[in-house]
Amino acid sequence: MKRLFVANWKMNSTRAQARLYARVLGERMGVSSGDVELVVAPPFTAFEETRDPEGRWALAAQNVSSHREGPFTGEISAKMLAEAGCRYVLVGHSERRHLFGEHPPTLAAKIARVREAGLLPIYCLGETEEERITGREEQVLASQVATLEHDAGGPLVIAYEPVWAIGTGRAATPADAAQAREILQGLLSGRRDVRILYGGSVTAVNAQALLQGSGMDGFLIGGASLDPSGFASIAGLP
Ligand code: PEP
């Protein structure tokens, strides 16, 4: 399976900035993405500018409604995302869980909507610092994986993102990430076609050591992905 690198822009970039980003990333990539898969998750407003007409990277949405359609002001449905050309959808990002109070039933419903629309979920999970210090990492990961209990199945991407590493400049060590990967592999052993990514303060400087030392299938990258050249370097492009 190809390694997967996902750029999560969060609430950054205008359409003009997205257009420039796509141009620079395209120049950096040349004719193909080679043996890696690249995905960019811009704000909804910049999908059109971020799309690659040559298909060298795919689009992801940073969020989706847990409802199919109807009177839900401000929400975007999975069907709308599919029509807008998305392939992946982030579900369960720690900012959605902690800042917007998204709980397991909502996340399970979002994953169901994503599947119905023929899209692929990138399900994010990870422990807080307190949960780690008190030795509850495994228990927390198990309860977060349990949200997938009713998932209809199909290819799945898991992004292990320890909350204490997101946007802090304190990436997990390769050994810590490898340990989390092993726990997740055990929890997901009944499933096929699963890729496990690491996310949390990945940069062009720490990427290679993290990738090799953790055995992860790629990264979900926030801050460092805002620079297209940095994103390409993290993905190992020449
Ligand atoms: C993220 O938001 O998913 C993330 C990993 O952010 P950062 O790379 O900035 O830590």
Side-chain angles (χ1 to χ4, degrees):
M1 237 182 302
K2 282 186 175 183
R3 282 194 173 137
L4 175 62
F5 297 89
V6 184
N8 174 18
W9 293 1
K10 312 194 188 194
M11 199 174 73
N12 293 293
S13 288
T14 61
R15 292 167 61 183
Q17 287 170 321
R19 203 174 294 119
L20 180 62
Y21 187 104
R23 202 181 72 209
V24 174
L25 186 58
E27 281 166 8
R28 179 73 193 261
M29 287 181 77
V31 286
S32 90
S33 57
D35 55 1
V36 296
E37 183 178 350
L38 295 195
V39 175
V40 182
F44 296 133
T45 47
F47 277 153
E48 209 44 55
E49 288 73 13
T50 312
R51 179 195 324 280
D52 179 26
E54 293 170 49
R56 290 164 296 178
W57 59 87
L59 292 180
Q62 298 176 21
N63 192 19
V64 64
S65 175
S66 57
H67 300 280
R68 284 191 188 92
E69 64 183 346
F72 302 103
T73 302
E75 292 287 274
I76 305 273
S77 75
K79 194 171 155 189
M80 293 167 187
L81 295 176
E83 188 191 37
C86 271
R87 178 163 166 70
Y88 291 94
V89 183
L90 300 185
V91 177
H93 190 282
S94 84
E95 286 152 18
R96 301 297 320 170
R97 290 180 194 259
H98 298 287
L99 303 176
F100 299 97
E102 293 190 1
H103 294 303
T106 304
L107 301 178
K110 287 185 176 208
I111 289 171
R113 300 293 85 77
V114 168
R115 294 285 190 202
E116 283 166 10
L119 302 175
L120 299 174
I122 300 175
Y123 179 56
C124 308
L125 42 69
E127 80 287 355
T128 63
E129 182 141 51
E130 203 246 324
E131 288 161 346
R132 185 179 187 80
I133 290 168
T134 53
R136 287 183 290 143
E137 180 186 355
E138 196 160 345
Q139 184 192 328
V140 169
L141 296 184
S143 79
Q144 291 172 331
V145 166
T147 297
L148 297 167
E149 200 181 332
H150 300 294
D151 176 27
L156 175 67
V157 180
I158 296 281
Y160 168 65
E161 301 205 296
V163 179
W164 47 270
I166 297 180
T168 59
R170 281 172 55 210
T173 63
D176 285 342
Q179 190 187 9
R181 179 181 169 81
E182 207 180 304
I183 295 170
L184 289 166
Q185 277 179 320
L187 292 167
L188 293 159
S189 59
R191 293 191 65 125
R192 287 172 35 213
D193 207 349
V194 180
R195 278 182 287 183
I196 304 177
L197 313 183
Y198 167 78
S201 297
V202 173
T203 65
V205 174
N206 62 20
Q208 276 321 301
L210 259 169
L211 202 57
Q212 276 155 23
S214 68
M216 289 284 179
D217 301 306
F219 295 132
L220 174 53
I221 310 134
S225 75
L226 288 171
D227 165 23
S229 288
F231 179 47
S233 298
I234 290 170
L237 297 175

